[in-house]
Amino acid sequence: MASRGRQDFFRGLTAIACAWALAAPALAAERMATLALPAQPLNHALAELGRQARVDILVSAAVVGDRRAPPLRGRLTPGEALDRLLAGSGLEYEAVEPGVYVVRARRGAPPEAEGPVALPELLVVGVRTQNVDQRRDPDDIQPYRVFERSTLRAAQALSADDFLQTWLTSNGDASQAVPRVPRGTPPSRSKFSFRDPNATAATLVLVDGRRMPAIPSQVELVQADVGPIPLTAIGRIETLASSSGALYGLGAVNGVVNLVLDRDYRGAEVSTTVGSGKGGDGDYGRFDARLGFSTDDGDTALMVSYGQKRFNGVAYGDRREASAPLDGSLLGPYQWPSRPSGNGTTLFGLNGPFVVGGVAMTKTYIPADYDGSTPIETVLIQNAGKSAPGLAPAHRDRLLSTDSRTDAVLVNLRQRLWRGAEAYFDYIYLSSLDSYPTVYGAFSTTLTPGQGPAAMISGAGPIEMVAPLPYAAGPNSTRVITRRFTAGMVFDLPARWRGGIDYAEGSLRARQLSKIVGFEVQASSVITSGAAPGDGRTVPNPLGDQARFVADLEQYHADWAPPAPYSASHLRDISLRASGPIGRIGDRDLTLSLTAQQLQDALPYITDLPRSGLSSRTRSLFAELRAPLDGVVGVRGLELQAAVRRQTGRVQIAYASPWKRLDTAADLYLVGAKVEPLPSLLLRGSFASGGQLPEPRMLTLSSFTSSSNLVDPKRDQSRPISAEGWFWHVWGAPADLRPDRTRTYSAGAVLSSPLLPRTRLSVDYTRIEGHDLMVQVFRGVDFYILNEDRYPGRVVRAPLTDADRAKGYTAGRIIEVRDLSENTGASLVESVDMVAEHDLRLAGGRLGLSAALTWQPTLRRYIPPDSGAYKRTPDGGTPKWRGALGARWSTRRFAASATVRYIDANLPTALPERTTIDLSVAFELPRPPGASETELRLGVRNLFDRWSEDDPLKRRLEATLVARF
């Protein structure tokens, strides 16, 4: 398999190399902005232009000197604005990549006189990246949310995941970025789930526009973990909460998050963060350091970053709120509760009330100290309507958050080869280690009124009995190491085109060690029936002495098989890209971006399953066209965008079975436009498609013998089908199973005002329609036999013989029944996103106000009728309202901020309404020897001590010290 993979890889490399596309950051058309700049010093004007036009401008204070800039107003592109600001100044600018400009002395101009310059040392708004995606903008045709470096630096957050949990209100995952077992493996992993809490597989995570190695989970590859990446190492975060397969390929169904790393830092910086809950528990810390160096001529640049993050876990016993009594109203038959049990044995009526001593009740409990001296009927009646209070001792050390440590090492080397050509090498190393006692729910079983230990209880429905012991428990540790290295070259091409090539290879290794002790299968049946197992062990009596009941129940403990201790995934990505103008319309460039890519993900093997593994390889050709038509067709500010991607894929899977191959292809599209009918109003709309490869578990195909006691409607009516012998039951994926497909329609408006140039309000409507979704229907053989005509081809029969005809049969005997997955599912998401920003000068400083609000009234998943498939996302599967509000006032030496985060209540998923408030202050400290700047930040998170299992740390204090050299 490895040899075949290498041959396929090099064949793909050769094929792609024949394409004339070459890699580079795409050269996008400049976007117009409403600008209002007074006459002022040029360095201030350039800083203000960068903020209003949302671009980065890199310039040295020594170059600017004491030059002044004229006033500037109107609708202009950044290039046009720079032309006017720099006219007659002896300076010029160069667009080094989309949205990034360098201002320098005009070539051939006399050098400036040397001497002191009474201006800020550096206008730090420039950035260089190896981001292979176009630079996206919040005023783009699609409704991107973009968070710039200055916003990330000022945020009171420990990671990109932590930051987006507050400010990206379209993120359907409502939890805080705290290491917890429900977050997956590892528990400290990042988690992005746009629009739908179950949509992690449909939300694509990129770093510098490239994919990261995915986390292996059983026989699946799930969303990559970028949690260890320090927030200080990120230059910008671009997010899109809608389908965009044409731009990003298969997997970008519900959205995309792209972390663009900061590659242009020069100097040294060290920062340390410590935090702790008010009781001194749940303490955590973060240490970040980075060093940047470049030669005097700028031809060589090296940057190294390191980040470490630690959390100490919080146990259920440390949080009184976590010991709320169980509520059995949501339990169904044979369901065991996920919450810890109270300090006693609780009984729930599953289908209605049950009766004890003539008293009807829906629940009751037996205290942990019950010794049998009081009649049990009396105890049950006294506690009618109540659950066992408090927290059982066996659950007190169960962790709400885990002990964890993450490490990150980022290395970037750039080397200019010749004018217009640059080579680079990039390395990312991420590590996480989580330690925690694994605990699964509480032991429970179903009692039948009038039978066994429930002989004195009467009622029509079963009774769920929950014991004060975990269902399973044991120590656990998980270590995950992710690596990705990228090498490439970018260079100029004729006719103002840019091109290059890059190759990325990554790997992820996960090691999980655990020793889980659970209960034998017969424990439930022994308790229910009251019959001894025959091996001398005592029958546990849940309605008797509780100390004895717990001791007897512990006799039925058994070691569970541990999970596979080791798993790994591999990633290979080779891309060739080119972009540049293909013509001019009026005075605007019509630009085209081209990409050819081969991507391969692999799960080489599954340790505990021989002959198992997974391989997914896709090839794609991509083109994106941007056409600014402002003033050409009589429509103000008109710009068109069109993109298309042809992606073909092959998925191979073996799950303790022979290798199965699925070939698939997808054509993905994007069309959109924006106009500016008024100077203060931008209207935009787009249509985009998305696609998702089948989940590997849906590709397994297995056959086993089966039979049925039904009477075949087309054969002998006097005997069951089983009398004719066995037939094959085929379960799994058909050969023509297609990828999930989605369509996204978005429309929105962006409001701004020349009178308030730093004010922006956007409102966008998004509708994501899923169609032809893959569904494992689980209908069963009997259903297909009884409904054969409704589902042609699912029941396979032998040819009808003459002997059969003589007996009056209308079909041959059954030889196979196919219970196969289908492309018959559908889904619908409707959402409205609102973002408001305002920036003004106040009291000698600058006050920045920001607000984000998402209203999501619709989240549905449709499954075919007569199906046993699980409806994952019912209506109300995510909060309908999520919001964030922030204010920050800052001067040169001081800043204070407040952030409010709101999540609506959601009864179907038992999520309570939550509002949390964070406060912080930052101020400059006296500089120690050798330091150019030292900053202290103090903050309090969750000011009002709000409790939720998603944020078990509650109120906590933080302190951060930053020193730059």
Side-chain angles (χ1 to χ4, degrees):
M1 175 183 172
S3 177
R4 183 174 69 250
R6 285 193 294 269
Q7 293 173 2
D8 290 343
F9 171 74
F10 286 112
R11 281 198 297 267
L13 175 60
T14 304
I16 295 176
C18 293
W20 79 272
L22 296 173
L27 180 62
E30 287 191 302
R31 296 167 177 80
M32 301 185 73
T34 300
L35 304 176
L37 281 72
Q40 58 186 314
L42 180 57
N43 67 318
H44 294 165
L46 292 174
E48 189 63 26
L49 172 60
R51 281 191 288 267
Q52 293 187 23
R54 298 179 181 275
V55 296
D56 293 329
I57 303 172
L58 181 64
V59 62
S60 169
V63 170
V64 175
D66 58 357
R67 294 178 175 88
R68 293 189 63 82
L72 186 65
R73 287 183 178 272
R75 294 286 299 169
L76 300 169
T77 67
E80 292 170 339
L82 285 169
D83 285 336
R84 297 189 187 185
L85 291 178
L86 302 181
S89 67
L91 304 180
E92 64 179 5
Y93 73 91
E94 178 186 2
V96 296
E97 63 180 71
V100 182
Y101 301 84
V102 174
V103 176
R104 61 190 174 213
R106 189 180 303 277
R107 292 183 176 87
E112 295 289 327
E114 296 183 1
V117 180
L119 291 172
E121 179 61 26
L122 186 66
L123 187 62
V124 187
V125 288
V127 62
R128 264 192 186 277
T129 73
Q130 269 99 50
N131 182 31
V132 296
D133 182 33
Q134 287 194 26
R135 184 183 180 89
R136 305 299 174 178
D137 188 89
D139 292 339
D140 209 337
I141 292 172
Q142 288 190 291
Y144 283 89
R145 289 289 311 278
V146 179
F147 304 96
E148 300 290 351
R149 175 174 47 191
S150 57
T151 302
L152 301 177
R153 295 294 184 273
Q156 192 176 350
L158 296 175
S159 64
D161 188 25
D162 189 14
F163 175 83
L164 293 180
Q165 285 293 345
T166 297
W167 285 109
L168 189 64
T169 53
S170 57
N171 194 355
D173 180 35
S175 61
Q176 292 278 8
V178 175
R180 298 178 61 243
V181 176
R183 294 184 69 84
T185 299
S188 57
R189 62 171 292 191
S190 60
K191 187 178 180 183
F192 305 96
S193 185
F194 292 176
R195 307 294 186 195
D196 179 355
N198 297 307
T200 52
T203 304
L204 186 61
V205 176
L206 306 173
V207 176
D208 289 332
R210 302 176 183 87
R211 304 191 184 215
M212 293 289 291
I215 297 176
S217 176
Q218 294 298 321
V219 71
E220 296 183 38
L221 294 172
V222 300
Q223 189 181 85
D225 177 25
V226 294
I229 296 179
L231 197 64
T232 57
I234 299 173
R236 69 196 323 246
I237 302 176
E238 301 171 339
T239 66
L240 178 65
S242 63
S243 304
S244 194
L247 298 182
Y248 301 101
L250 293 172
V253 175
N254 274 38
V256 177
V257 55
N258 182 24
L259 308 184
V260 182
L261 301 183
D262 184 0
R263 305 298 193 190
D264 202 48
Y265 181 77
R266 298 296 173 263
E269 178 181 287
V270 177
S271 65
T272 301
T273 299
V274 293
S276 177
K278 64 177 183 179
D281 57 6
D283 56 299
Y284 55 92
R286 167 133 223 157
F287 173 79
D288 296 314
R290 58 177 177 163
L291 174 67
F293 164 81
S294 66
T295 56
D296 292 339
D297 57 11
D299 287 350
T300 303
L302 173 67
M303 182 174 171
V304 180
S305 297
Y306 172 73
Q308 181 187 111
K309 183 171 55 178
R310 290 175 177 266
F311 275 90
N312 289 329
V314 175
Y316 273 82
D318 297 330
R319 290 291 180 265
R320 177 172 48 84
E321 299 89 345
S323 59
L326 281 168
D327 182 0
S329 62
L330 300 179
L331 287 176
Y334 310 107
Q335 290 182 334
W336 49 272
S338 59
R339 288 182 52 82
S341 56
N343 196 17
T345 299
T346 304
L347 305 179
F348 299 107
L350 293 179
N351 296 333
F354 53 93
V355 178
V356 178
V359 178
M361 60 193 73
T362 55
K363 62 181 175 180
T364 186
Y365 77 93
I366 307 168
D369 58 358
Y370 175 68
D371 59 5
S373 60
T374 303
I376 187 61
E377 293 90 342
T378 302
V379 174
L380 296 177
I381 293 172
Q382 287 176 344
N383 296 320
K386 302 176 183 178
S387 302
L391 185 69
H395 291 276
R396 287 175 183 167
D397 293 332
R398 179 176 175 177
L399 287 180
L400 286 159
S401 63
T402 66
D403 295 331
S404 72
R405 168 178 168 170
T406 66
D407 294 88
V409 177
L410 312 176
V411 180
N412 182 257
L413 174 65
R414 295 204 317 266
Q415 176 64 51
R416 186 177 300 165
L417 303 178
W418 59 83
R419 180 175 176 81
E422 182 178 276
Y424 61 87
F425 172 82
D426 191 71
Y427 178 72
I428 299 175
Y429 170 90
L430 308 176
S431 170
S432 65
L433 176 62
D434 294 85
S435 301
Y436 49 96
T438 298
V439 179
Y440 299 107
F443 177 82
S444 64
T445 189
T446 303
L447 305 179
T448 302
Q451 299 181 19
M456 50 80 179
I457 301 176
S458 61
I463 300 170
E464 188 79 5
M465 183 278 297
V466 181
L469 290 178
Y471 187 68
N476 199 323
S477 67
T478 303
R479 184 174 185 85
V480 175
I481 296 176
T482 301
R483 297 181 177 92
R484 191 192 76 182
F485 79 84
T486 307
M489 184 172 67
V490 294
F491 46 83
D492 292 337
L493 293 171
R496 294 191 294 137
W497 276 67
R498 293 270 288 170
I501 180 172
D502 63 81
Y503 173 79
E505 183 162 343
S507 65
L508 185 146
R509 296 176 179 270
R511 184 175 181 84
Q512 185 171 4
L513 300 177
S514 63
K515 181 177 176 58
I516 308 300
V517 177
F519 284 94
E520 300 176 9
V521 175
Q522 66 174 336
S524 293
S525 60
V526 168
I527 293 175
T528 301
S529 65
D535 57 8
R537 287 182 292 182
T538 307
V539 177
N541 180 12
L543 304 186
D545 181 283
Q546 290 298 286
R548 183 178 181 84
F549 167 61
V550 170
D552 291 342
L553 185 57
E554 288 178 339
Q555 298 179 61
Y556 294 84
H557 273 143
D559 291 337
W560 283 16
Y566 173 80
S567 59
S569 68
H570 295 295
L571 168 75
R572 288 195 183 108
D573 182 0
I574 182 166
S575 303
L576 299 100
R577 310 170 193 266
S579 61
I582 59 174
R584 291 183 70 82
I585 301 177
D587 59 347
R588 310 289 188 199
D589 282 333
L590 182 71
T591 61
L592 180 66
S593 302
L594 301 172
T595 301
Q597 181 185 42
Q598 176 172 290
L599 179 68
Q600 184 171 354
D601 283 300
L603 178 64
Y605 63 90
I606 304 168
T607 304
D608 57 345
L609 293 175
R611 297 187 304 154
S612 296
L614 165 70
S615 175
S616 171
R617 185 187 66 189
T618 62
R619 296 173 178 172
S620 62
L621 295 174
F622 158 73
E624 180 180 2
L625 178 69
R626 302 296 293 252
L629 303 176
D630 181 38
V632 176
V633 295
V635 179
R636 179 186 176 91
L638 176 62
E639 182 179 348
L640 303 180
Q641 178 186 20
V644 61
R645 181 183 294 266
R646 171 68 174 176
Q647 188 157 4
T648 59
R650 172 178 295 175
V651 180
Q652 292 181 282
I653 185 171
Y655 193 57
S657 63
W659 286 89
K660 175 180 172 57
R661 187 180 78 185
L662 174 69
D663 293 319
T664 185
D667 294 313
L668 305 168
Y669 305 95
L670 166 65
V671 291
K674 67 178 182 179
V675 297
E676 300 177 23
L678 300 173
S680 59
L681 175 64
L682 181 150
L683 302 177
R684 59 188 176 188
S686 63
F687 164 81
S689 61
Q692 178 77 22
L693 283 173
E695 296 179 11
R697 65 180 176 84
M698 301 186 73
L699 297 179
T700 57
L701 185 66
S702 57
S703 300
F704 48 90
T705 57
S706 183
S707 185
S708 174
N709 291 322
L710 293 177
V711 173
D712 191 337
K714 298 183 178 182
R715 293 180 65 80
D716 192 341
Q717 300 297 299
S718 64
R719 60 177 185 165
I721 297 172
S722 58
E724 292 193 304
W726 300 93
F727 54 81
W728 286 105
H729 179 192
V730 181
W731 180 89
D736 60 349
L737 190 66
R738 303 181 302 278
D740 284 349
R741 303 300 296 270
T742 58
R743 298 182 292 254
T744 294
Y745 303 88
S746 65
V750 181
L751 300 174
S752 59
S753 172
L755 300 178
L756 298 173
R758 291 178 293 274
T759 299
R760 179 183 182 276
L761 171 66
S762 65
V763 180
D764 291 279
Y765 167 76
T766 301
R767 179 185 178 92
I768 306 176
E769 300 176 353
H771 59 101
D772 293 338
L773 303 184
M774 298 167 291
V775 177
Q776 287 179 307
V777 290
F778 303 117
R779 292 193 179 102
V781 295
D782 288 352
F783 176 87
Y784 285 113
I785 293 171
L786 294 175
N787 298 274
E788 183 176 354
D789 294 336
R790 289 176 54 193
Y791 297 90
R794 294 303 182 97
V795 178
V796 180
R797 295 177 178 271
L800 185 66
T801 65
D802 292 338
D804 290 338
R805 292 189 184 94
K807 295 177 181 179
Y809 298 168
T810 58
R813 74 178 187 86
I814 297 173
I815 59 175
E816 184 175 284
V817 176
R818 298 175 176 174
D819 193 359
L820 301 178
S821 301
E822 302 173 347
N823 287 102
T824 53
S827 64
L828 176 63
V829 176
E830 291 182 293
S831 184
V832 177
D833 300 290
M834 293 158 278
V835 179
E837 300 170 326
H838 181 56
D839 189 14
L840 72 157
R841 294 191 177 277
L842 179 68
R846 185 174 294 276
L847 176 64
L849 303 174
S850 56
L853 181 66
T854 293
W855 175 49
Q856 186 166 309
T858 307
L859 174 61
R860 299 192 184 106
R861 183 175 177 88
Y862 304 96
I863 58 176
D866 305 319
S867 170
Y870 173 52
K871 189 176 181 182
R872 293 185 308 165
T873 53
D875 290 348
T878 191
K880 289 187 177 181
W881 293 94
R882 290 189 60 170
L885 179 67
R888 177 179 171 84
W889 182 79
S890 61
T891 66
R892 186 173 179 272
R893 299 178 180 274
F894 177 83
S897 64
T899 302
V900 181
R901 179 176 185 253
Y902 171 78
I903 301 178
D904 191 16
N906 186 261
L907 297 180
T909 54
L911 290 174
E913 180 183 52
R914 281 173 286 168
T915 301
T916 57
I917 298 177
D918 301 338
L919 302 177
S920 68
V921 296
F923 46 90
E924 186 176 339
L925 296 176
R927 301 178 183 179
S932 62
E933 180 183 352
T934 304
E935 180 183 352
L936 177 63
R937 303 171 187 168
L938 302 175
V940 54
R941 303 191 67 176
N942 196 354
L943 175 66
F944 293 112
D945 213 22
R946 302 300 188 194
W947 156 258
S948 76
E949 289 193 12
D950 288 324
D951 186 12
L953 301 184
K954 299 182 64 179
R955 181 168 61 221
R956 55 224 187 245
L957 304 178
E958 288 183 358
T960 300
L961 182 64
V962 183
R964 299 180 179 90
F965 302 88

